[in-house]
């Protein structure tokens, strides 16, 4: 069994980007600038955005955090989005999800300029991804593909079962795994909450990508020997014995499933860190595209 070490690979990617940014500086070029918009004070969102901004600083990017109060109106948020679209200093930006209930998420994401949409959530970018065109691939599926690539995991002709059909993970990774290329060329089954006999499907899988958000959902008796496991789930489980009052766990019953797996991602330290690295990669791409 080999651990797909997202922490290690994400550090490699960040080092590669750091070198490119230093070269940009030497050439007297503008360095990439990522902005993040956060509405409200959701604990997990604050952690994610904080870590994205810190990562920018470490690798030499410029970054701007726009933290708006919970009661921000949809209209004001849309104004902020238009401002970012029109600000030539900003290469890319993200609007951290989830947004407060009174704001229409779809409306906001549709307002983001696709050329600055480093999260790859805009329909233009999602559509281009589905058609194998140059685009911004959303950071989590992009991170999974990069991890498979760097560990040389063979995906061609393999049966991949994706669990979860969200627009940000399950749906796009199912498309990417079936695309022509390496990684890719996989035969994909996309399972979701209405899927019947999931265990029958996962038992046939050479690769399982789990993105449903139910702690330790995927058990050892649901997978075959030699399977590759990508665990996207991140759930905070309340635990008074921990300093923070919770611990983080994935969708996979790691201790037992890992015994049968040939490759497996841990949680934490698997897909999570890759997501941040690929957001930075997309911001670098945005800068390069704006230069050309
Ligand atoms: P979501 O929460 O929007 O949707 C969950 C999906 O799981 C749905 O499509 C649903 O149909 C499916 N599902 C639910 N119960 C099921 C069941 N019993 N059997 C089969 N399918 C079932 O999904 P999301 O936003 O992709 O998040 C999924 C998990 O991934 C969460 O834990 C989230 O925190 C995590 N996540 C991690 C990263 C990362 O960087 N590692 C990024 C995004 C999301």
């Amino acid at each position: 069994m080999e651990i797909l070490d997202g922490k290690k690979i994400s550090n490699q990617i960040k080092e590669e980007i750091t070198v490119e940014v230093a070269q940009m500086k030497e050439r007297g070029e503008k360095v990439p600038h990522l902005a993040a918009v956060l509405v409200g004070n959701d604990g997990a969102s604050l952690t994610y955005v904080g870590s994205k901004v810190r990562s920018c600083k470490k690798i030499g990017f410029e970054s701007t955090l726009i933290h708006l109060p919970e009661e921000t109106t949809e209209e004001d948020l849309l104004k902020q989005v238009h401002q970012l679209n029109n600000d030539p200093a900003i290469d890319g930006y993200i609007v951290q999800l989830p947004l407060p209930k009174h704001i229409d998420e779809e409306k906001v994401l549709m307002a983001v300029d696709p050329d600055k949409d480093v999260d790859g959530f805009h329909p233009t970018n999602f559509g281009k991804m589905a058609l194998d065109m140059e685009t911004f691939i959303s950071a989590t599926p992009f991170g999974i593909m990069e991890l498979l690539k760097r560990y040389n995991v063979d995906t061609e002709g393999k049966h991949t079962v994706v669990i979860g059909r969200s627009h940000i993970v399950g749906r796009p990774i199912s498309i990417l795994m079936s695309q022509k290329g390496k990684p890719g060329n996989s035969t994909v089954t996309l399972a979701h909450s209405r899927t019947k006999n999931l265990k029958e499907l996962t038992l046939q899988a050479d690769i399982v990508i789990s993105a449903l958000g139910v702690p330790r959902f995927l058990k050892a008796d649901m997978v075959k020997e030699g399977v590759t496991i990508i665990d996207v789930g991140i759930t905070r489980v309340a635990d008074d014995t921990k300093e923070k009052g919770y611990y983080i766990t994935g969708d996979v019953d790691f201790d037992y499933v890992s015994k049968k797996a040939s490759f497996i991602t841990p949680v934490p330290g698997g897909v999570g860190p890759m997501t941040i690295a690929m957001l930075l990669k997309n911001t670098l791409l945005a800068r390069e595209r704006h230069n050309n």
Side-chain angles (χ1 to χ4, degrees):
M1 185 270 293
E2 189 171 359
I3 295 280
L4 298 172
D5 187 342
K7 199 159 181 211
K8 185 176 97 186
I9 301 295
S10 70
N11 283 333
Q12 272 174 17
I13 293 169
K14 286 189 216 165
E15 277 164 28
E16 290 161 14
I17 300 176
T18 307
V19 171
E20 288 199 47
V21 175
Q23 287 168 351
M24 282 176 152
K25 264 192 187 155
E26 266 173 34
R27 291 194 298 267
E29 291 170 13
K30 177 187 172 313
V31 299
H33 189 160
L34 175 74
V37 183
L38 173 64
V39 186
N41 292 305
D42 175 70
S45 293
L46 279 165
T47 311
Y48 292 146
V49 170
S51 120
K52 286 168 190 173
V53 170
R54 272 196 307 281
S55 295
C56 281
K57 295 225 164 81
K58 269 195 201 147
I59 63 169
F61 282 11
E62 284 184 50
S63 65
T64 301
L65 172 60
I66 300 162
H67 192 174
L68 303 172
E70 177 81 23
E71 54 284 1
T72 302
T73 62
E74 186 177 286
E75 197 189 347
D76 282 344
L77 180 57
L78 286 169
K79 264 189 210 153
Q80 181 62 68
V81 163
H82 289 300
Q83 230 167 305
L84 287 165
N85 286 345
N86 294 321
D87 184 346
I90 303 292
D91 294 296
Y93 68 96
I94 59 162
V95 180
Q96 183 67 39
L97 303 180
L99 290 170
K101 294 263 177 294
H102 63 274
I103 298 178
D104 182 347
E105 236 167 58
E106 197 174 291
K107 215 173 186 178
V108 174
L109 295 181
M110 288 288 283
V112 174
D113 178 350
D115 287 335
K116 295 189 175 187
D117 169 39
V118 284
D119 254 342
F121 292 162
H122 193 282
T124 297
N125 287 324
F126 195 98
K128 285 184 171 176
M129 181 270 301
L131 295 171
D132 301 330
M133 293 164 73
E134 190 179 83
T135 183
F136 297 116
I137 299 173
S138 353
T140 304
F142 195 7
I144 295 169
M145 296 302 274
E146 196 64 25
L147 204 51
L148 292 170
K149 190 166 154 186
R150 295 202 184 210
Y151 275 93
N152 228 347
V153 177
D154 188 15
T155 60
E156 179 153 332
K158 306 288 180 195
H159 182 198
T160 298
V161 173
V162 177
I163 312 175
R165 58 179 161 189
S166 76
H167 295 170
I168 60 167
V169 188
R171 190 78 56 82
I173 196 65
S174 72
I175 295 170
L176 293 169
M177 287 299 283
S178 70
Q179 78 184 0
K180 238 185 208 175
K182 200 174 175 225
N185 287 335
S186 198
T187 305
V188 178
T189 300
L190 179 54
H192 46 77
S193 53
R194 305 293 172 93
T195 296
K196 294 205 171 88
N197 306 327
L198 180 66
K199 189 173 164 182
E200 271 176 33
L201 296 169
T202 53
L203 276 170
Q204 293 169 37
D206 303 302
I207 301 166
V208 177
I209 302 178
S210 186
L212 73 157
V214 178
R216 299 193 190 94
F217 173 87
L218 192 78
K219 306 283 187 210
D221 67 354
M222 294 170 75
V223 297
K224 66 180 184 187
E225 287 289 338
V227 68
T228 291
I229 302 282
I230 306 290
D231 188 355
V232 187
I234 300 180
T235 309
R236 289 181 175 196
V237 179
D239 183 347
D240 292 341
T241 67
K242 306 282 177 208
E243 200 184 315
K244 288 183 174 167
Y246 65 86
Y247 66 91
I248 299 282
T249 188
D251 288 350
V252 176
D253 196 7
F254 185 90
D255 290 349
Y256 298 98
V257 173
S258 59
K259 291 197 169 75
K260 291 176 94 174
S262 52
F263 295 97
I264 187 165
T265 59
V267 177
V271 177
M274 289 301 291
T275 297
I276 295 194
M278 301 324 275
L279 172 70
L280 300 171
K281 179 91 185 165
N282 274 343
T283 309
L284 178 70
L285 286 173
R287 178 69 234 135
E288 286 168 354
R289 284 178 202 163
H290 296 156
N291 265 344
N292 293 330

